[in-house]
Amino acid sequence: MTFSNSQSQPAIPTYRVMDWDGIIVDKAGAPSDVSIEEIVKWYTDMLTVNIMDLIMYDAQRQGRISFYMVSQGEEGIAVGSAAALDPEDVVFSQYREAGVFQHRGFTIDDFMNQLFATDLDPGKGRNMPVHYGSGKLNHYTISSCLATQLPQAAGSAYALKLQSLQNPNIAPRVAACYFGEGAASEGDFHAALNFAATRSCPVIFVCRNNGYAISTPTLEQYRGDGIASRGVGYGVDTVRVDGNDIFAVRRVMKEARRRALEGDCKPVLIEAMSYRGSHHSTSDDSFAYRARVEVEDWKRRDTPIARLRKWMEGAGCWDEAKEKEARSRIRKEVLDGVKRAEGRKRAPLREMWKDVYETVTEEQKAQMEELRGLVQRYPDEYDVSEYQEGLEGLKLKEGQ
């Protein structure tokens, strides 16, 4: 009789191509299939997200936006994995994947219009800041509810599989799904992996294990071998990777995509190990549950941006002058984007009721009229001048 437990099994190894000093330790994983220019783009994509995070975090503290979440320390997971995807692949993400958006073509103005809820925001200001989405980039809109994107991604991947079977002229595609290790404690995680495994769905689950689920450290989240061991339990091809190593992340993502589309298709789970270098969000003070010295030590010791910069300097394609120029240029681009967004009005107030049903219902019309009456009665309490059309924005146009 034998009982199995995690202690009796060897830990799943963490794959790495480049060490903390930017030295290649796995020559087979070196990015020989891409140009230096492309690698520099990966770096500037990470730098853009990092600089935008610093500016927008301060903007929230100044009361200019209501909420923000940064990706500090996890930029390499987002950009490295996005670099291995095809533009036609679909993406479901959580809220630290700004690097995926950035790499796939989301512009500074796209970020700012969503954050400031301008009239150019595709969501029309009806979602919280940082909940980006883009139909053009095949990136589903982010949801606040943890883990809901996992079963959605599994179902989407199944649909993509059927689509390719029914129409051979459509190139096979995968669904890439991002989430944190805290979300893996939700029931949706287990349902998604089991569905994807039993239906052979071409979906890549990317878990960012950054050490904390808000204030809960991984030691209090699970006793097994991380999140990767759960993939094995569900019969899913699984790999663990150093999330601060952008070369390793891209390589495992590229291989995961190949495996996902191979034969009858299959799901793949990637656990990317990293460290959350910031507070969970602008609503959190992480120094209430972790030491400041711990955070500063990680920032000083190893980040995906610092590691890739060391490699680039060793390769002779980057130096201090280029670093200063890039940071100055990106900072100006972000600040200019903030200025443009703050200068725009918000969508008309009627948009709150639209896109729920095919047409606005009688009940919704009554609610709209009730709000209009309140605004008219208390104009000093409800300033609607920042919305397009002002008070008239609470009237439906003909045909709506």
Side-chain angles (χ1 to χ4, degrees):
M1 181 185 295
T2 303
F3 284 81
S4 295
N5 57 54
S6 58
Q7 286 74 36
S8 65
Q9 305 294 325
I12 296 173
T14 301
Y15 178 66
R16 174 184 287 180
V17 170
M18 174 173 52
D19 67 15
W20 291 3
D21 296 317
I23 305 298
I24 299 296
V25 293
D26 178 17
K27 295 195 181 333
S32 56
D33 59 330
V34 294
S35 65
I36 289 294
E37 290 75 20
E38 181 65 15
I39 294 173
V40 170
K41 182 188 183 307
W42 299 347
Y43 183 76
T44 55
D45 282 343
M46 291 196 293
L47 209 57
T48 297
V49 171
N50 184 265
I51 292 171
M52 180 176 70
D53 279 350
L54 294 172
I55 292 172
M56 298 318 300
Y57 188 92
D58 287 344
Q60 192 280 334
R61 287 296 186 247
Q62 294 161 6
R64 296 160 80 176
I65 58 174
S66 61
F67 179 79
Y68 196 72
M69 301 187 78
V70 307
S71 307
Q72 193 174 72
E74 300 171 63
E75 303 93 342
I77 299 171
V79 176
S81 59
L85 292 173
D86 185 276
E88 294 303 311
D89 292 332
V90 301
V91 177
F92 294 79
S93 58
Q94 200 158 309
Y95 37 59
R96 297 196 204 281
E97 278 71 52
V100 178
F101 280 94
Q102 169 69 23
H103 187 77
R104 287 168 72 91
F106 215 62
T107 67
I108 292 296
D109 282 333
D110 290 333
F111 282 116
M112 296 304 135
N113 285 322
Q114 199 284 325
L115 292 169
F116 286 93
T118 77
D119 59 310
L120 296 180
D121 171 24
K124 302 175 183 177
R126 295 176 295 200
N127 219 336
M128 289 178 65
V130 195
H131 291 54
Y132 314 115
S134 174
K136 181 177 68 174
L137 301 178
N138 297 308
H139 202 132
Y140 284 81
T141 302
I142 296 168
S143 170
S144 290
C145 304
L146 275 183
T148 55
Q149 73 272 22
L150 278 88
Q152 292 166 0
S156 174
Y158 188 53
L160 293 176
K161 174 182 175 179
L162 296 179
Q163 185 183 57
S164 294
L165 290 173
Q166 293 166 1
N167 187 349
N169 295 320
I170 297 178
R173 297 187 289 165
V174 301
C177 182
Y178 296 83
F179 57 100
E181 89 286 344
S185 293
E186 296 283 344
D188 281 348
F189 167 84
H190 300 277
L193 261 68
N194 196 47
F195 179 91
T198 56
R199 306 311 301 169
S200 301
C201 302
V203 55
I204 305 171
F205 297 107
V206 183
C207 175
R208 295 175 286 93
N209 192 333
N210 63 20
Y212 289 89
I214 308 184
S215 60
T216 307
T218 53
L219 183 64
E220 297 177 19
Q221 292 182 53
Y222 52 75
R223 282 290 183 269
D225 184 15
I227 307 304
S229 61
R230 303 181 191 179
V232 176
Y234 280 110
V236 174
D237 285 12
T238 301
V239 64
R240 178 175 285 148
V241 64
D242 182 345
N244 285 4
D245 179 353
I246 194 170
F247 293 161
V249 172
R250 176 181 176 270
R251 190 177 189 212
V252 299
M253 191 69 169
K254 186 177 179 181
E255 173 61 14
R257 186 178 188 278
R258 186 194 69 77
R259 286 172 177 252
L261 294 174
E262 186 178 42
D264 189 41
C265 297
K266 66 171 70 171
V268 180
L269 171 64
I270 298 171
E271 182 180 20
M273 311 304 291
S274 188
Y275 184 80
R276 197 186 79 205
S278 64
H279 305 299
H280 172 72
S281 71
T282 49
S283 303
D284 174 49
D285 177 12
S286 66
F287 297 135
Y289 52 84
R290 62 178 181 176
R292 185 183 296 268
V293 66
E294 174 188 319
V295 180
E296 295 306 319
D297 182 54
W298 265 101
K299 290 180 181 178
R300 182 176 59 255
R301 183 172 45 169
D302 183 42
T303 69
I305 292 176
R307 198 186 297 197
L308 182 56
R309 180 182 175 181
K310 290 174 184 176
W311 181 90
M312 290 165 59
E313 289 175 343
C317 63
W318 202 254
D319 55 32
E320 185 61 29
K322 290 182 179 179
E323 180 77 12
K324 288 182 178 178
E325 185 280 327
R327 286 183 175 273
S328 176
R329 170 177 52 79
I330 293 168
R331 179 176 172 78
K332 183 178 185 305
E333 289 173 356
V334 174
L335 290 173
D336 286 348
V338 169
K339 186 176 181 180
R340 286 191 295 272
E342 287 189 313
R344 298 199 66 88
K345 286 185 177 290
R346 300 175 187 270
L349 285 165
R350 74 174 70 89
E351 297 296 341
M352 281 194 289
W353 285 271
K354 293 172 66 176
D355 301 328
V356 179
Y357 302 100
E358 185 177 2
T359 58
V360 177
T361 66
E362 291 302 317
E363 183 181 31
Q364 289 177 307
K365 290 177 184 178
Q367 291 171 356
M368 198 179 304
E369 190 59 37
E370 182 180 0
L371 178 58
R372 180 180 166 82
L374 283 171
V375 174
Q376 286 178 315
R377 192 180 310 166
Y378 305 105
D380 294 336
E381 299 295 329
Y382 299 100
D383 180 9
V384 296
S385 62
E386 65 185 65
Y387 296 90
Q388 286 184 335
E389 304 177 40
L391 186 63
E392 292 302 301
L394 280 168
K395 285 184 178 179
L396 286 175
K397 291 185 177 180
E398 189 173 347
Q400 291 184 330

